Amino acid sequence: QVKLVESGGGSVQAGGSLRLSCAAFADYSGHCMAWFRQGAGKEREGVASIDSAGITFVARSVKGRFTISKENAKNTLFLQMNDLKPEDTAMYYCAADRACLVYGAVVSGIAFPDCTTLDACGQGTLVTVSS
């Protein structure tokens, strides 16, 4: 059963912007939500997270460029990405986690949890940034 669906990815030139959306088909208002990415041949990297109270944290690699937000009424999570760089090229995923391991991973910079340990992960949306 699909619970999270991402959209908004695409191809842009360096310096451009994209806004990713993650539609939730379950109630995750009490969960931490996060965006993570995985580039070709790279490990999962937590990009940004937001807890149930709306407190956010973004990874150092994207701080000042990416913003995470959510709209509970529409069960939607967003990632606004500005000043994109070629190194931002990756598949981007959203995740839901009641235990908030995802939030801790983004804050600490440790490896992002595998989706099998989380409540839900989406199928991903591809972001390609050309120089």
Side-chain angles (χ1 to χ4, degrees), residues 47-66:
V47 174
S49 186
I50 185 167
D51 70 9
S52 59
I55 307 300
T56 64
F57 194 92
V58 296
R60 183 177 300 178
S61 59
V62 302
K63 191 173 184 178
R65 301 188 296 121
F66 290 13

Side-chain angles (χ1 to χ4, degrees), residues 5-62:
V5 178
E6 302 93 340
S7 62
S11 297
V12 296
Q13 290 190 327
S17 298
L18 285 172
R19 189 190 196 205
L20 305 184
S21 298
C22 171
F25 295 91
D27 181 8
Y28 294 116
S29 58
H31 290 56
C32 285
M33 304 291 292
W35 288 96
F36 69 98
R37 65 188 181 186
Q38 188 163 23
K42 298 181 179 179
E43 294 187 348
R44 293 184 304 278
E45 177 191 10
V47 174
S49 186
I50 185 167
D51 70 9
S52 59
I55 307 300
T56 64
F57 194 92
V58 296
R60 183 177 300 178
S61 59
V62 302

Side-chain angles (χ1 to χ4, degrees), residues 72-115:
N72 286 332
K74 295 184 177 181
N75 289 331
T76 305
L77 180 73
F78 301 100
L79 184 69
Q80 177 66 44
M81 306 186 297
N82 298 326
D83 190 24
L84 283 160
K85 303 177 180 181
E87 52 264 41
D88 295 319
T89 294
M91 188 72 82
Y92 284 72
Y93 303 85
C94 59
D97 176 31
R98 180 175 288 277
C100 288
L101 296 176
V102 297
Y103 193 96
V106 175
V107 170
S108 65
I110 62 174
F112 197 82
D114 187 271
C115 284

